[in-house]
Amino acid sequence: MHRRRVWQTCAAAAAMAGAGYTYDRTAQASAAWRTLRTFIDVLVICADYKVNFRASNDAPALDRVHERAAARLLRRCQENGGLYIKFGQSIAVQSALLPPVFRSQLQGLYDSAPSVELESLRPVVERSLGAPLDSVFAEFSPRAVASASVAQVHRARLLGDPEGCWVAVKVQKPEIKRQITWDLFTLRTCARLMERAFEIPLMWSVAEVEQRLREELDFLREAHNAERAHADLERLADGWLRASVYIPRVRWQATAREVLTTEWISGTSLVDPRRLLACGWRSKEVMQRVVSLFAFQVFVSGNVHGDPHPGNILVRPTPGSPHVPQVVLLDHGLYVRETREFRRQLAEFWRSAALADRKGMRRIAGAWGMPDAAAFAAMMTVRPADVMAQLGRRDPDGLPAEGGAYKGHMLVKQRAVAALRDARGLPPALVFVVRNANIVRALNQRLGIPVDRTRILGHYAARGLRHLLVSEAWDPASRYSADRGVSLTGGGWLAALGAVLSAEWRYATFRVAVGVAAVALALHSAWLRVVERFTGRKPPDVEAALDEAVRRAVEAKLGYSIDASLFSA
């Protein structure tokens, strides 16, 4: 009798488990099962570090712990797919704070994701647009032309379009909507577990990550971002930049929360620089446009694309001028809106750095909650004459000369924890601006460093600062301030005139400083070419050498490696 009850209980439990698994797989897109597997992997990773990451182990043994953890994390993200790819990419962006093996492993998350069959995608399109697919599109490619973690793109023609132009239709994958609640719960829980297990401050960033992920899943928001970016170029950019950059226009009649339809633009992606050159485009002309676009967004419009990796940038012939390249910016799901105050502070920081005004740099960095203005200047490739001296040097391996591999790892962890704690107080826009700058830096390096980014960024920083200060000067509530240019405390036309003169003086000195730096760099490059001609030895590229020196100096200050190549995926 007892044995029969045991068997009945086991059979009932198995039946319930099978029913639960079937329901989860069919109704929840395996969300609960994915969550369970994730918790198991996180617990295994924690246990591995607690048991095997000890001072008694040698360096290879410690490295193997990192390798196992990174491989398990990569496998879980790939097998779960969907938002887990985004989670892994978010970790990859911060992998400068992690052992190098995490960066190399997580690079795999930037590969194309598997696409979904059209029949599985059709209900998403029809539910979102409120009409059958065939009543909206005259033609719709059955196979996706591109596929990412949460969406895929199809080529189509709109029904009723007299010109029959091709459009790009971005459709959210069907399982994402059913998985998002479980996935975000898993993110919060795992972050809290890792924070307690390893005493690393992570929870402060979870809310920001959640918000950004939800924004990226709202294609109506992405459509409005694209339209605003286009309007900014039309309203604030000069004629050269307007002709040099294009934002595909949204087709609102076929756009909804889970479906985004835009113009179809044919062009060459920046993912493969060799293909770009094979198409006849000069890397210098392309990068002038790319750097100018993002400098314009950071310093002039204040509406900054949050993910300008090479796959989101195309190059095509300029309409009407087929031999002139035009940059096309795609994927507007992630944007950051800078406040006027932050944009003015950022431009003032660049001006102070260009003039080697350490007091001004420290004042602005202090307002951001950043203790080290010199390190930030170097990370942004703002190179005042004494930044390198302030940053100092380090041993080649970055670890203490004595104390062994374990002590070195613990030192890196302590510095990483300190960096994360410092980052909690930073303005959110600053984090995205630095990330944007690093992505563009890496792209310039991949194309052979054809342009001096510092000169271009300085030009737009000066222009943005002048625009802000002059507009504030003519505000009736503004008056001149020797320390801040203007302050909102009232005043008359004389105060306004003083503020305008101050703005023009700041603009002029800023432009002169940037110009002098550019001339000095050009003269140095010319001298190196002369040396090369007479000696036959090719000298290192000046910009590359400066970037490498900056990278090493920042690593010395922060205590961990900075690998710009991770941003170029």
Side-chain angles (χ1 to χ4, degrees), residues 25-42:
R25 184 169 184 176
T26 56
Q28 298 293 327
S30 300
W33 177 239
R34 294 157 78 245
T35 299
L36 177 62
R37 293 187 301 183
T38 303
F39 285 154
I40 292 173
D41 279 337
V42 169

Side-chain angles (χ1 to χ4, degrees), residues 294 305-313 329 435-437 439-440 443 567:
F294 294 115
H305 194 293
D307 194 20
H309 67 76
N312 287 337
I313 303 172
L329 185 61
R435 180 173 183 267
N436 183 295
I439 294 174
V440 175
L443 181 55
F567 296 109

Side-chain angles (χ1 to χ4, degrees), residues 47-68:
D48 194 7
Y49 272 100
K50 291 295 184 182
V51 172
N52 297 312
F53 204 83
R54 297 182 176 276
S56 57
N57 290 340
D58 57 12
L62 298 178
D63 289 340
R64 286 194 292 272
V65 177
H66 293 320
E67 290 170 2
R68 290 193 296 270

